[in-house]
Amino acid sequence: MTDIRKGKVIVISAPSGCGKSTIINAVRELPGMDLQFSVSATNRDPRPGETDGVSYYFLTDDEFRRRIDAGDFVEYCEVYPGRFYGTLKSEVERTRDDGHDVILDIDVVGGVNVKEMFGDDALSIFIMPPSVDELRRRLESRGTDSEERIAERVGRAEYEIGFAPMYDRVVVNDDLSVAVEETSRVIADFTGRSL
Ligand code: ADP
Ligand code: 5GP
C-alpha cells in the first residue's frame, strides 16, 4: 500500500465584503491547485443563490447546538449576535486523509485558533481591503445584504483588521487579478504544488 500525503490546511480570513470568496473561487480553479473547500455549518438564513451543502450546511439553532454537544466542530464562533458558524471535523479530516489540501473561509477568531491547532500543517492568509470605505462600496454593489447587515459587517471590519498581524501572510485586495496571483503563489509555495 502506498502512503497518501496528508493534505495541508489553508485558512483565509478577511472582513466580509473584501473579496475573499471571489479570490478563493479563482484560486481553486487554477490548474495545479488541489484545494477542496471546507463547507462550514451555520444557523444563519441562506442568501439568494446559496445552496445547502455547497455554500454552508444551513442548520436550525437546535441542530447547531446538537452538533456542538456531539463534538463535531474543529472550532465554532458566534461571528454576529445569535449567528454561529463552525468548521466541521468531518470536512477537514476526510479531505486531508484523501490527500487533498483543504481551504477554510473562516472569521478571525476561528482563523487564529485553527492555525494554532494545525501548526506547521496550516498556512493562514489575511485578505486586507484597500480601505473600509471601499469595503462598504463592495458590500453595497454585491447587493446581497440589507443596509443594517452592511452596517454590522463594516462595523466589525476594524476589529477584524486588528488580527491581521497574527496571520502568516497578508494580501491586499485592491486589484483583483494581483490579489489572486499573490494568493495562489503563496499557497503553491506552501503546499508544494506547481502552478
Ligand atoms: P467576501 O467573500 O469577502 O464577503 P465577495 O467575494 O463576495 O466578498 O466580494 C464582495 C464584492 O466585491 C463582490 O461583488 C465582488 O465581485 C467584489 N470584489 C471582489 N474583489 C474586488 C476587487 N478587487 N475590486 C472590486 N470589487 C471586488
Ligand atoms: P457570511 O455570513 O458572510 O457567509 O460569513 C460571515 C463570516 O463568518 C465570515 O467572516 C466567514 O469567514 C465566517 N465563517 C464562515 N464559516 C465559518 C466557520 O466555520 N468558522 C468561523 N469561525 N467563521 C466562519
Side-chain angles (χ1 to χ4, degrees), residues 1-7 95-100:
M1 209 171 83
T2 46
D3 270 351
I4 297 180
R5 155 199 181 277
K6 197 159 175 161
T95 305
R96 296 188 69 210
D97 289 345
D98 287 347
H100 307 293

Side-chain angles (χ1 to χ4, degrees), residues 3-27:
D3 270 351
I4 297 180
R5 155 199 181 277
K6 197 159 175 161
K8 302 276 187 190
V9 178
I10 310 296
V11 175
I12 310 257
S13 303
S16 179
C18 183
K20 190 176 28 160
S21 313
T22 310
I23 292 173
I24 290 174
N25 292 336
V27 169

Side-chain angles (χ1 to χ4, degrees), residues 12-18 20 75-85 105-113 126-129 131-132 135-136 139 147-164 167:
I12 310 257
S13 303
S16 179
C18 183
K20 190 176 28 160
E75 61 77 38
Y76 68 92
C77 185
E78 185 178 10
V79 179
Y80 302 104
R83 297 206 296 286
F84 288 82
Y85 298 79
D105 166 349
I106 59 178
D107 93 304
V108 288
V109 175
V112 169
N113 282 336
F126 188 90
I127 310 285
M128 183 75 86
S131 68
V132 174
L135 190 66
R136 185 181 300 105
L139 282 167
E147 232 173 88
E148 190 194 347
R149 285 281 156 90
I150 290 177
E152 183 181 54
R153 281 158 195 272
V154 171
R156 195 178 149 85
E158 282 182 4
Y159 161 79
E160 292 170 322
I161 288 170
F163 283 73
Y167 280 69

Side-chain angles (χ1 to χ4, degrees), residues 5 8-12 23-24 27-28 33-35 101-103 123 125 169 180-193 195:
R5 155 199 181 277
K8 302 276 187 190
V9 178
I10 310 296
V11 175
I12 310 257
I23 292 173
I24 290 174
V27 169
R28 286 191 58 215
M33 285 286 175
D34 182 20
L35 286 171
D101 303 319
V102 61
I103 190 158
L123 172 74
I125 303 174
R169 302 298 295 256
V180 169
E181 218 281 315
E182 196 178 335
T183 306
S184 52
R185 192 165 28 78
V186 166
I187 294 176
D189 282 350
F190 179 71
T191 58
R193 315 243 182 220
L195 286 174

